[in-house]
Amino acid sequence: MKKNVKEIIDVGNNIYNKNLVSGKSGNISKRIKTANGDIVAITPTLKSLANLKPEDIVIVDFDGNTLTSGKPSSEVNMHLEIYKKRDDVNGIVHTHSPYATGFAFSNKKIKRLEGFGEIKNPYLPDIEYEKPGTAELAKSASEGIGDSDVLVLKNHGVICVSENLKEAESLAVFVEESAKTQFITYMLNSAEDII
């Protein structure tokens, strides 16, 4: 268990230092297979991902019952619903990275660029806004992600999922860099009209 907890803390530090989350935003979870069934380790609510301690990480079962002390992220049900629908997912990273979230607040979509798997659709999938922490968001996100590895939450942020947590982290970085590249492209193209 210590290894799993340490991995979540490390990923939290990494995505904070890469400016994919700020303040107390974002959350991370990892599915852990045990002899008694799957459980989930998740970051706590209202704590910065920059300086988590092992005792901050909360363990929950698939019904959302806490198995350790602490209060899990308010998005715990969104994570659990995705795990329930996707046996192939063992790590989830939810960010509010500035460029990708900027797209989430706009009418522009993020193009799916080469670098992470087969391009099945030209744009990353998205879902309409649902209030964070609600059952409606959990249901909409778990359905909206389908078999994709990324989901844009309109007016909110981004979810990245993978077979392991490090891959989900790498994907979150890639999505933000893709959004940044596209933003710069839009700005350069619009500047041509002015020059």
Side-chain angles (χ1 to χ4, degrees):
M1 187 63 72
K2 285 183 180 178
K3 181 181 170 188
N4 293 310
V5 167
K6 183 180 184 312
E7 186 178 12
I8 290 174
I9 291 170
D10 290 346
V11 169
N13 278 320
N14 291 345
I15 67 172
Y16 188 92
N17 291 332
K18 290 174 180 168
N19 299 315
L20 302 185
V21 294
S22 60
K24 297 177 181 179
S25 71
N27 36 75
I28 302 164
S29 71
K30 181 174 183 179
R31 183 201 306 253
I32 301 165
K33 299 186 182 298
T34 73
N36 298 321
D38 294 353
I39 55 174
V40 172
I42 190 166
T43 50
T45 191
L46 297 177
K47 287 206 176 181
S48 171
L49 300 184
N51 50 17
L52 293 171
K53 298 178 178 68
E55 58 269 24
D56 293 328
I57 306 305
V58 182
I59 309 298
V60 299
D61 65 18
F62 262 46
D63 294 321
N65 301 307
T66 56
L67 306 176
T68 58
S69 62
K71 189 173 178 186
S73 165
S74 62
E75 303 289 12
V76 64
N77 289 323
M78 179 175 71
H79 289 247
L80 290 173
E81 288 305 311
I82 292 171
Y83 286 127
K84 287 174 187 175
K85 283 196 165 68
R86 295 278 301 272
D87 289 337
D88 60 317
V89 171
N90 295 306
I92 298 174
V93 173
H94 170 41
T95 66
H96 298 164
S97 53
Y99 285 90
T101 302
F103 274 85
F105 275 85
S106 77
N107 62 358
K108 304 267 188 212
K109 290 183 172 281
I110 302 173
K111 289 181 183 174
R112 180 77 191 217
L113 301 182
E114 290 184 12
F116 255 88
E118 179 186 354
I119 298 178
K120 298 175 188 171
N121 298 304
Y123 297 98
L124 298 181
D126 60 28
I127 58 168
E128 289 304 315
Y129 177 80
E130 297 286 356
K131 188 175 177 187
T134 62
E136 290 80 12
L137 176 59
K139 182 176 187 294
S140 184
S142 65
E143 291 172 355
I145 199 161
D147 63 355
S148 184
D149 51 3
V150 181
L151 181 65
V152 177
L153 310 176
K154 295 298 282 178
N155 301 328
H156 185 163
V158 178
I159 301 171
C160 297
V161 305
S162 188
E163 62 189 359
N164 65 64
L165 192 50
K166 289 304 287 180
E167 278 290 297
E169 175 195 351
S170 295
L171 182 55
V173 172
F174 182 76
V175 167
E176 179 64 358
E177 289 301 313
S178 297
K180 184 189 287 186
T181 298
Q182 288 171 62
F183 175 79
I184 292 168
T185 303
Y186 283 131
M187 292 302 100
L188 291 173
N189 287 340
S190 64
E192 286 178 3
D193 299 334
I194 300 167
I195 298 171

